[in-house]
Amino acid sequence: MEQTHRPAHRRKKGKWQQQQLLLLLLLLFLFLSSSSISSVEGAAAWDGVAITRTDLQGLQAIKSDLADRRGVLRSWNGTGLDACSGAWAGIKCVRGQVVALQLPWRGLGGRLSDKIGQLAALRKLSLHDNAIGGPVPAALGLLRDLRGVYLFNNRFSGGVPLSIGGCPLLQTLDLSNNSLTGGIPSTLANNSRLIRINLSYNNISGSLPVAVTRLPSLIFLFLQHNLLSGSIPNTWGRSSSNGTYQLQSLHLEHNFFSGGIPISLSRLQMLEDLSLSNNELNGSIPQEIGTLPRIKTLDLSENSIAGSFPASLCNLSSLIELNLEGNHLESPIPEAIDGLRNLSVLSVKKNQFLGEIPATIGNISGLSRLDLSENNLTGEIPASIDNLTNLTFFNVSGNNLSGRVPVLLSEKFNSSSFSRNIELCGYSVSVPCPSTPPASPPSSPSTSPNRPSRRRLSSKDLILIAVGVFLALIFLLFCILLCCLIRKRTATSKQSTASDAAAAERGEKPGPAAGAEGETGGDTGGKLVHFDGPLAFTADDLLCATAEIMGKSTYGTVYKATLEDGSQVAVKRLREKIAKGQKEFESEVSVLGRIRHPNLLAMRAFYLGPKGEKLLVFDFMPKGSLAAFLHGN
């Protein structure tokens, strides 16, 4: 008996050992999975290391110099052992050292202490949209790991610190909309990784340093609305590491720059947005400007530029907006202007252009704004302009035009668009066109002068009457359908109002659509709502992201936004006059956010700003646009 049962016992023991081995392997797998997940989440969670004494002293000094009227910094108290745990507002740490100080939209005043230089590991400084004054601390130059400085919309005074060139990893410097004076420090050239410089809306004077034009990684340069003077350097286009010139947006408008337009701007083959308006530039427009393949906006208005309309500008097939108004340009507008097939805005008013309006303008189908006023144009208005169905603004006043205004233009635009043209007629009842009197038909011998004649209706008259009756019936049917739709919408709105009232009586509160997560207030003071999953970024991260213009339309502008963690999204900013009210906007966008289809780009979030701005966030498609896929542009 013992020999017969022994093999069965051994088989059971071997099977039990196998099960134990599988259990151990499963536990090991779970342990490794949990450790990997915890390591991923560890970047956002506290690592358990208390703040260093040096950083604690720096934060306490910063708090003492700031005016905290709202009590935002009341959490900055005690021994500081919990400073890195998330208990202190706006503080993020790694291994006990502060890496981010973010307190935008908090109503802070006072000044920013020089002790900020003690935060040796600081990477991001975001205090925008407050009321902080005093100078920008020179101690920022001691922060070797600093990547982003966001101090815009404050009351900082004094100059841009020369020491800022001591931050070798700096990528973004935004000091716009303050009261800064002095000049632009040439030490900015030491920051070879700078991507974005924004010093606009200050009182900065002096010249534009040549060293700034040679920054290899610079993409955005905004210096508008300052007191800069002298000539614009002709040193643009230093090659970057990959052999291309990175600058995409250059804004120097509303300054006191003089001299000519630099020819070296033509080397910026990545340039999409160029604005030199409201300066004192003279000379002519270089023909080389017409070699910029990606330029979308070219604004040279309100200067003293003379010469002719460069024919090379007609080669800018990507151009969307061309503004040359308020200069001294002359000569005819070239017939080849229809080469600007993507043009939406063309303004050349207050110049001295001669000749006739080229009929080829009517071939630019996307044109929405055309201003040719206050020139010396002659001849008639081309009938081809009637083909511009997207035209919302048209002005040819103050010229020497003649003849009859095309019927559709006279019906669509008022008389101010055609005034001060002595020989132009037909655009108003008070300015009729002369008509030749019809020849009187010969009198019939059978018709008596004292007997009224009775004319029989011809077949043409009968057809016209029948068509008129048919159109009247169609119009009546349309009115009836419109009344039904209005009644249905009224009933629907009443029903939704009643349901909301019933929900309020039950103690319920209407919220965002299912599957959406919202973040209200926060650092930006606006409202950010995400779809499909947890919050991947905050509103402050979205607003402080590096943005690149992808396209413009009558509904808004599309940007490629690069967040701080390197991820990219597509952001569409809606125009204020196009977008609906906040309640209707939230209702419709909540419905659109739930739509998921393999052939549709999914909406990931939307943002409502405190000043009414509306942003739609989509996944970024890195392989180009639909237009590029269809047309090969």
Side-chain angles (χ1 to χ4, degrees):
M1 289 294 293
E2 184 177 356
Q3 292 179 353
T4 58
H5 287 285
R6 187 172 297 172
H9 175 71
R10 289 179 178 176
R11 285 196 298 270
K12 291 180 180 180
K13 184 178 181 179
K15 187 175 182 180
W16 180 77
Q17 289 177 346
Q18 290 178 357
Q19 292 177 348
Q20 277 191 327
L21 181 60
L22 290 175
L23 181 59
L24 288 174
L25 291 175
L26 180 60
L27 291 175
L28 179 61
F29 174 79
L30 293 176
F31 174 78
L32 292 176
S33 300
S34 63
S35 62
S36 61
I37 294 174
S38 63
S39 63
V40 173
E41 296 178 348
W46 182 34
D47 53 15
V49 181
I51 190 170
T52 63
R53 182 177 182 83
T54 304
D55 284 22
L56 177 61
Q57 291 174 350
L59 292 179
Q60 289 173 341
I62 292 172
K63 177 183 178 181
S64 63
D65 284 356
L66 291 175
D68 184 17
R69 301 179 183 86
R70 302 181 184 175
V72 176
L73 304 180
R74 67 168 60 95
S75 59
W76 293 22
N77 55 18
T79 61
L81 293 177
D82 59 345
C84 292
S85 66
W88 284 29
I91 300 300
K92 293 182 181 180
C93 301
V94 173
R95 296 180 179 177
Q97 290 186 299
V98 178
V99 296
L101 174 55
Q102 303 179 87
L103 293 169
W105 296 97
R106 302 301 175 91
L108 298 174
R111 60 187 295 274
L112 185 57
S113 173
D114 281 330
K115 297 295 184 180
I116 195 170
Q118 295 184 199
L119 308 180
L122 190 64
R123 301 176 187 174
K124 182 177 181 180
L125 175 62
S126 179
L127 299 175
H128 63 83
D129 291 281
N130 283 291
I132 304 173
V136 178
L140 290 178
L142 302 175
L143 306 177
R144 306 289 294 178
D145 291 333
L146 194 61
R147 276 120 167 128
V149 177
Y150 307 92
L151 301 179
F152 55 91
N153 294 341
N154 275 286
R155 299 175 183 175
F156 286 103
S157 58
V160 180
L162 297 174
S163 61
I164 200 69
C167 304
L169 302 181
L170 190 63
Q171 296 180 358
T172 299
L173 177 63
D174 196 336
L175 305 177
S176 59
N177 199 14
N178 281 284
S179 300
L180 299 177
T181 57
I184 301 175
S186 59
T187 54
L188 283 176
N190 299 333
N191 308 102
S192 59
R193 298 190 181 185
L194 266 173
I195 295 175
R196 180 186 182 95
I197 298 177
N198 192 349
L199 303 177
S200 60
Y201 293 92
N202 281 286
N203 297 313
I204 298 174
S205 58
S207 61
L208 176 58
V210 172
V212 174
T213 67
R214 295 176 176 174
L215 284 169
S217 299
L218 193 62
I219 297 179
F220 305 99
L221 180 58
F222 302 105
L223 302 176
Q224 67 268 28
H225 290 271
N226 277 290
L227 305 175
L228 296 171
S229 59
S231 60
I232 300 175
N234 195 19
T235 53
W236 303 92
R238 178 181 178 181
S239 178
S240 64
S241 58
N242 58 4
T244 59
Y245 310 127
Q246 301 297 316
L247 196 62
Q248 296 180 12
S249 293
L250 176 60
H251 283 258
L252 303 178
E253 67 267 23
H254 289 276
N255 279 286
F256 296 95
F257 287 113
S258 57
I261 300 174
I263 298 178
S264 62
L265 289 173
S266 61
R267 302 175 193 165
L268 305 175
Q269 296 295 295
M270 304 292 289
L271 194 62
E272 298 181 359
D273 192 7
L274 175 61
S275 180
L276 306 177
S277 65
N278 290 275
N279 279 285
E280 299 174 356
L281 300 176
N282 51 36
S284 59
I285 303 175
Q287 291 282 349
E288 290 80 1
I289 296 296
T291 62
L292 296 173
R294 302 182 62 175
I295 192 76
K296 296 179 180 179
T297 301
L298 178 59
D299 191 351
L300 306 177
S301 60
E302 302 301 333
N303 281 286
S304 299
I305 302 172
S308 60
F309 189 110
S312 63
L313 293 185
C314 300
N315 300 327
L316 302 176
S317 58
S318 298
L319 197 63
I320 296 176
E321 180 177 346
L322 176 60
N323 192 345
L324 303 176
E325 66 182 48
N327 283 287
H328 306 301
L329 296 169
E330 54 186 9
S331 79
I333 301 174
E335 290 283 341
I337 196 170
D338 59 343
L340 306 176
R341 56 179 180 268
N342 290 319
L343 197 64
S344 177
V345 177
L346 173 61
S347 179
V348 296
K349 72 176 183 180
K350 294 182 182 179
N351 277 282
Q352 301 172 12
F353 283 110
L354 306 169
E356 298 183 353
I357 301 174
T360 52
I361 287 184
N363 298 332
I364 311 175
S365 58
L367 203 60
S368 62
R369 183 181 179 89
L370 178 59
D371 195 341
L372 307 174
S373 60
E374 300 184 47
N375 281 283
N376 296 319
L377 297 173
T378 57
E380 297 183 353
I381 299 177
S384 61
I385 297 182
D386 275 346
N387 301 329
L388 303 177
T389 56
N390 295 323
L391 205 60
T392 58
F393 180 89
F394 178 73
N395 194 352
V396 292
S397 62
N399 282 283
N400 299 316
L401 299 173
S402 58
R404 182 186 295 272
V405 175
V407 177
L408 294 180
L409 288 179
S410 63
E411 293 176 351
K412 192 173 183 179
F413 303 101
N414 56 37
S415 58
S416 62
S417 298
F418 311 97
S419 62
R420 291 180 289 136
N421 288 278
I422 299 177
E423 300 182 10
L424 203 61
C425 64
Y427 58 87
S428 175
V429 178
S430 60
V431 190
C433 290
S435 57
T436 56
S440 58
S443 60
S444 174
S446 62
T447 303
S448 173
N450 296 327
R451 183 177 178 181
S453 62
R454 297 181 61 187
R455 187 174 67 88
R456 297 182 61 184
L457 296 176
S458 64
S459 58
K460 181 179 181 180
D461 295 334
L462 293 174
I463 293 174
L464 292 176
I465 292 174
V467 170
V469 172
F470 177 75
L471 292 177
L473 292 175
I474 292 295
F475 178 75
L476 181 61
L477 180 61
F478 173 78
C479 293
I480 294 173
L481 292 175
L482 183 61
C483 292
C484 293
L485 288 175
I486 293 174
R487 289 182 178 178
K488 184 177 180 180
R489 180 173 293 180
T490 304
T492 304
S493 62
K494 288 182 178 179
Q495 184 178 1
S496 62
T497 304
S499 63
D500 290 343
E505 291 178 359
R506 294 192 303 267
E508 299 175 357
K509 183 179 179 182
E517 295 183 13
E519 173 195 351
T520 305
D523 290 343
T524 62
K527 180 178 181 181
L528 177 68
V529 177
H530 285 256
F531 298 102
D532 286 348
L535 297 177
F537 51 85
T538 64
D540 185 58
D541 292 336
L542 180 63
L543 294 180
C544 293
T546 300
E548 174 185 352
I549 298 177
M550 297 175 62
K552 294 183 179 180
S553 67
T554 55
Y555 295 97
T557 305
V558 180
Y559 301 86
K560 179 179 78 174
T562 303
L563 303 178
E564 187 180 10
D565 59 357
S567 59
Q568 295 178 336
V569 293
V571 181
K572 184 167 187 177
R573 182 186 181 98
L574 301 181
R575 296 181 185 272
E576 295 181 3
K577 297 183 179 179
I578 298 296
K580 296 183 178 181
Q582 181 173 346
K583 292 184 178 179
E584 293 178 309
F585 175 80
E586 285 192 73
S587 177
E588 294 186 9
V589 172
S590 297
V591 175
L592 294 175
R594 295 196 301 266
I595 298 176
R596 294 294 181 267
H597 191 274
N599 296 333
L600 294 178
L601 192 61
M603 185 187 301
R604 296 304 181 190
F606 70 90
Y607 172 76
L608 290 172
K611 299 181 181 179
E613 57 267 39
K614 299 177 177 66
L615 305 178
L616 304 179
V617 183
F618 300 86
D619 288 336
F620 174 69
M621 305 297 291
K623 295 186 179 180
S625 62
L626 178 61
F629 178 79
L630 294 177
H631 306 291
N633 184 9

